[in-house]
Structures are given as C-alpha cells and as structure tokens.
Amino acid sequence: MDMEDDKEIKNKMLLTGVLSLIGIVVVVGAIMYVAQRKLPEKYKTQEKKLLRHFVEPVEPTPAPLTGILGMQVKTAKTTYVKGDVVVLTVSADSKGDQITGYDAVLRYDPTLLKVDKVASLVEGIDMYQTDTAADVPGLNDLVVTGIQSISQEDPFTFTNSPIAEVTFVVLKAGNANVDMVFIPNHTADSNLMNTQTQDILSEVQGITLQIK
C-alpha cells in the first residue's frame, strides 16, 4: 500500500466519522422533539414557569416607609456669630425595623458654614464621609454614611437615637439652612436601610441657624 492509498483511507475514515456524528445529533434532536410533543400540557406549563423563575428578574417587595432621620442643635445657643462652633446631632428612628446602614445627606451653604469634623455615635457602625458641591449652585452636600461593621453581629433598632455628630464652624452672618436631602424611594440621597436592603426612610428634618 503506497502513501496515496493510505491518505485516501484516512480521508474516508474522517468522512465516515463526521457523518456518524451528524447522524447522532439528528437522532437525539428527533427524540427530544417527539418527547416534547408527547409531554402532557400541564408539564409543559410547569416547565415554562420554572424557566421564567430563573430567567426573569424578581421585583423586590418595597418596604413600608416609616423611618425618620432628623437633626438637632447640640449647643445651647440660639444665635451665632463668626467663629462660633455649631454641633448638630443626627438622629434616627427605624420604627421597630432592624437597620444595617444609612446615608444622611446634609446640604448647606459653604460661604456660611465650614465642616469641621464628623463623628459616629453608634458602636458597631463604620462611618464614611464626603463633602462635595451639590447639584444646586452655591451649595454643598455633606454625605455621612454609616455601615454595620463586620464585627457587629446584630443589626440596629433606632428609637429616636443619636447616630452621628456634625461640627460646623460659622464663617459669616446670615440664615444658614442645613437641609437633609431626601426623595422617597430614591437611593442616591438620604436613606435608612433594613436587613433586606430596603430603604424605609419616610421623613427627614432639617434646621436653620441664625447667624449675626
């Protein structure tokens, strides 16, 4: 047998293998098609429901909006002058729901007030802060974020509880509003998150400082 004969035999074997593979695919496809057509309708319906369960996203159930974030002035003064220090206490009320984190977005006029420091009042919560220009010209947003620490086993239930302190320094005279930015069901502003990662915040409270 010469090399040409050997090459021809190999080509025939390869062609036979390809045809066999195609035949197997066709047979298996035909069996599956017949089995699907013979499957009782109720099982087909169950199969479709099961497929939709894995493919289609499940809409989360919205939580009742009951939580409150507020602010109170810790210092005893009712009016302030340039150079004074103003300490604001941020409080939370979760109305019995268990909380794992929050965002308190404080909007203020940086020409009247300057952020001095921010401190957490809750052990077991890690705090972060950013202070950037707001989407309203001339105002800043101080974002105070509290997240349950990894070492903290249980979530928190707040009952008008102080959760953070924000210290401002007065820069000049004027009516200084410190507003809590909040739109219901909008996660890019102030929020109060429960253990199901649902924002339960329903109400916020801001303050106005009289500066002479």
Side-chain angles (χ1 to χ4, degrees):
M1 181 183 296
D2 58 19
M3 294 182 61
E4 290 294 331
D5 293 337
D6 186 50
K7 185 177 180 180
E8 183 178 355
I9 292 173
K10 289 181 179 179
N11 289 338
K12 289 181 179 180
M13 292 176 63
L14 179 61
L15 179 60
T16 302
V18 171
L19 293 175
S20 299
L21 182 59
I22 294 174
I24 292 172
V25 171
V26 170
V27 171
V28 172
I31 293 173
M32 292 179 64
Y33 176 75
V34 172
Q36 179 68 20
R37 289 180 60 85
K38 290 184 178 181
L39 193 66
E41 191 63 33
K42 67 175 182 178
Y43 293 119
K44 292 182 182 180
T45 302
Q46 292 175 358
E47 183 183 38
K48 290 177 181 178
K49 287 182 179 179
L50 183 63
L51 182 61
R52 283 199 299 269
H53 175 75
F54 287 104
V55 174
E56 296 179 0
V58 178
E59 290 294 328
T61 303
L65 302 181
T66 56
I68 300 173
L69 285 177
M71 283 184 287
Q72 300 83 34
V73 181
K74 183 178 181 181
T75 44
K77 291 184 177 182
T78 56
T79 60
Y80 301 86
V81 297
K82 180 179 178 180
D84 279 349
V85 172
V86 184
V87 180
L88 303 182
T89 301
V90 179
S91 61
D93 195 330
S94 62
K95 302 299 182 180
D97 209 341
Q98 294 184 315
I99 301 301
T100 59
Y102 67 87
D103 286 315
V105 183
L106 280 60
R107 181 164 291 174
Y108 69 97
D109 185 342
T111 66
L112 300 177
L113 299 172
K114 178 183 177 182
V115 177
D116 183 43
K117 60 182 177 180
V118 181
S120 176
L121 300 180
V122 182
E123 185 177 354
I125 283 188
D126 296 329
M127 176 172 283
Y128 307 91
Q129 68 184 77
T130 60
D131 189 11
T132 59
D135 54 9
V136 178
L139 299 179
N140 271 25
D141 282 346
L142 172 65
V143 182
V144 180
T145 300
I147 301 174
Q148 180 178 332
S149 303
I150 296 177
S151 59
Q152 175 69 28
E153 294 183 1
D154 299 321
F156 303 90
T157 302
F158 297 127
T159 307
N160 201 25
S161 308
I163 58 175
E165 276 187 359
V166 180
T167 303
F168 289 99
V169 176
V170 175
L171 299 179
K172 66 177 184 179
N175 289 331
N177 295 319
V178 182
D179 298 318
M180 191 89 71
V181 181
F182 170 63
I183 302 173
N185 296 312
H186 192 267
T187 56
D189 54 10
S190 300
N191 56 68
L192 200 56
M193 308 301 290
N194 66 12
T195 53
Q196 284 76 48
T197 321
Q198 298 168 318
D199 181 9
I200 67 165
L201 188 60
S202 66
E203 180 184 341
V204 297
Q205 300 160 352
I207 63 167
T208 299
L209 302 173
Q210 303 293 330
I211 304 172
K212 294 183 177 180

